[in-house]
Amino acid sequence: MKKLIALLIAAMVLVGCSSKPATPSETPAEGGDAPATAQEEVNVGVSIYKFDDNFMTLYRNEIQSYFDELSASGDVKYNVTIQDGKNDQAEQTNQIDNFIAQDYDVLIINLVQSTSAQTVIDKCKEANKPCIFINREPSEDDMKLYDGTDYQGMYTYVGADARQSGRFQGEIIADLENKGDVNGDGTLGYVMVVGDPENVDAKYRTQFSIEQYEESSGLKVEKLDEQRGDWDQAKGQEIVANALTKYGDKVEVVFCNNDGMALGAAQAIEAAGRKVGEDIYLVGVDALPEAIELLTTGGMTGTVLNDHIGQSHTAVDAAVKATKGEKLDPYYWVDYVKVTPENAADYK
Ligand code: BGC
């Protein structure tokens, strides 16, 4: 037995123990030799701004399954806790405090309010925990807070450049044979359904869709209505139903900052007896499965793939890197892709 123990110790020295400091969950098996296949454990705390969001539901499910895949195929077991921020910053801050108090190894945060980034970065820095922001981009100033310190490279933002998604929406409409100008008067009458204006995704999509449309089509635009729909399908439906009642045929295009609201808009358009592709056009962002379905059946004109798979995998890869003590880039960007009936089948 003594010989066996000595051999084991020698083997451990040769292989080298994990370079990562022990976490609370790395409790060695009690009694007897540690199994040779024991996986190192890493605790990951994730907080999503709210669970009740179509796009973030796809995103968080992919975070979980990609970590599961890595756990199944590698030598590290990732224990992932995903919490619902319930659209309440105080609730989310509390979750972050708890992750830190329980000594989680890395945090992945989809902020409720982007303006809370500084507080979160400060807390993580204080506890020396890596933090990966996703989906809701903090301000550039916040992302530079600890440049030049030891904490630089321990926090990052993983996302997609919302300006690109807006431009793609504008191009989708400008590329139509009639450039979306149903009545041919040289001016595009449109309704804009905005997500949450505090979020740069909403700000940029609202701005760049129209700027790009004007540039690509050479036509003028007339904003008939612009309302805040908070990314929500029911609100999208209500806003568009009201706009159609008020402005009737003057509405030639409905731009929605996301597909959730576009799905609601599609219901309102149908209820008003209008027909997408004939007397009105409708674009969203995300490429939700329901939107792809509408694209193939003529209920929507186009959408833009907000690549939740690419983004979630990039965020997880960054988290893994950080737990190994490697430095992160300040930003990781994932491209959007234009989706129209022509290529919709590729995104089913
Ligand atoms: C998505 C929306 C989502 C929002 C949440 C955006 O990037 O397009 O569908 O509701 O993120 O922050």
Side-chain angles (χ1 to χ4, degrees):
M1 185 66 179
K2 263 190 191 157
K3 204 168 163 194
L4 186 68
I5 291 174
L7 265 173
L8 256 173
I9 292 173
M12 279 171 74
V13 169
L14 267 178
V15 171
C17 299
S18 158
S19 56
K20 188 187 156 297
T23 69
S25 47
E26 276 179 292
T27 0
E30 267 173 39
D33 307 329
T37 54
Q39 269 183 310
E40 178 193 353
E41 296 200 20
V42 164
N43 295 321
V44 185
V46 184
S47 176
I48 299 297
Y49 93 101
K50 65 170 183 167
F51 275 8
D52 180 19
D53 176 295
N54 307 7
F55 174 72
M56 287 314 301
T57 300
L58 296 175
Y59 197 132
R60 82 180 137 95
N61 290 341
E62 193 57 36
I63 290 181
Q64 180 73 62
S65 52
Y66 187 48
F67 266 125
D68 290 347
E69 232 177 80
L70 295 181
S71 297
S73 59
D75 50 10
V76 179
K77 179 171 186 296
Y78 295 96
N79 303 313
V80 184
T81 307
I82 306 186
Q83 295 193 332
D84 180 0
K86 298 184 182 149
N87 212 14
D88 176 349
Q89 189 56 59
E91 170 91 27
Q92 181 173 66
T93 306
N94 201 22
Q95 292 166 358
I96 292 168
D97 286 339
N98 287 334
F99 287 145
I100 290 175
Q102 290 166 33
D103 206 15
Y104 273 64
D105 298 287
V106 59
L107 273 58
I108 298 181
I109 306 296
N110 171 211
L111 287 166
V112 173
Q113 284 167 355
S114 327
T115 47
S116 296
Q118 174 166 4
T119 313
V120 176
I121 296 171
D122 282 346
K123 283 174 187 288
C124 291
K125 179 182 182 288
E126 174 77 21
N128 202 35
K129 299 290 176 196
C131 178
I132 320 293
F133 290 108
I134 56 167
N135 174 256
R136 295 189 151 189
E137 188 184 341
S139 74
E140 269 180 56
D141 286 346
D142 286 347
M143 289 309 293
K144 284 189 194 141
L145 269 175
Y146 291 107
D147 279 8
T149 72
D150 284 351
Y151 195 62
Q152 185 171 7
M154 283 185 69
Y155 62 109
T156 186
Y157 174 69
V158 176
D161 178 1
R163 284 169 282 222
Q164 189 186 37
S165 55
R167 287 194 190 103
F168 283 168
Q169 286 188 306
E171 282 176 5
I172 289 172
I173 301 300
D175 283 350
L176 295 168
E177 217 176 302
N178 62 359
K179 303 180 179 178
D181 182 16
V182 178
N183 58 21
D185 68 352
T187 301
L188 186 84
Y190 74 91
V191 170
M192 180 68 68
V193 187
V194 180
D196 166 2
E198 200 253 351
N199 186 322
V200 289
D201 284 7
K203 245 178 10 213
Y204 283 156
R205 288 174 192 165
T206 300
Q207 178 188 345
F208 285 87
S209 54
I210 300 305
E211 283 183 12
Q212 184 65 51
Y213 174 78
E214 290 175 306
E215 195 187 316
S216 303
S217 71
L219 298 187
K220 292 205 264 316
V221 295
E222 183 188 359
K223 178 165 72 183
L224 300 166
D225 205 357
E226 180 178 310
Q227 299 283 337
R228 166 185 184 151
D230 289 312
W231 309 114
D232 183 73
Q233 179 165 347
K235 289 190 187 167
Q237 177 174 14
E238 198 187 318
I239 291 165
V240 176
N242 290 340
L244 290 174
T245 306
K246 199 161 165 197
Y247 300 104
D249 288 350
K250 283 179 126 188
V251 184
E252 294 168 299
V253 175
V254 178
F255 289 92
C256 294
N257 282 175
N258 79 343
D259 280 348
M261 299 186 296
L263 297 178
Q267 294 168 314
I269 287 170
E270 200 186 337
R274 303 283 296 271
K275 184 91 186 69
V276 171
E278 289 177 18
D279 57 18
I280 194 164
Y281 297 96
L282 171 64
V283 278
V285 175
D286 283 341
L288 294 181
E290 300 90 326
I292 298 291
E293 184 58 33
L294 278 182
L295 272 186
T296 55
T297 55
M300 263 178 84
T301 311
T303 184
V304 179
L305 172 74
N306 192 358
D307 182 3
H308 70 274
I309 297 183
Q311 290 175 67
S312 54
H313 290 203
T314 306
V316 169
D317 288 340
V320 166
K321 210 169 158 181
T323 59
K324 291 180 176 154
E326 292 171 38
K327 290 287 181 192
L328 304 174
D329 293 348
Y331 291 95
Y332 294 92
W333 298 110
V334 175
D335 269 336
Y336 284 104
V337 184
K338 241 189 271 183
V339 190
T340 59
E342 286 75 53
N343 64 348
D346 299 346
Y347 299 97
K348 276 213 161 172

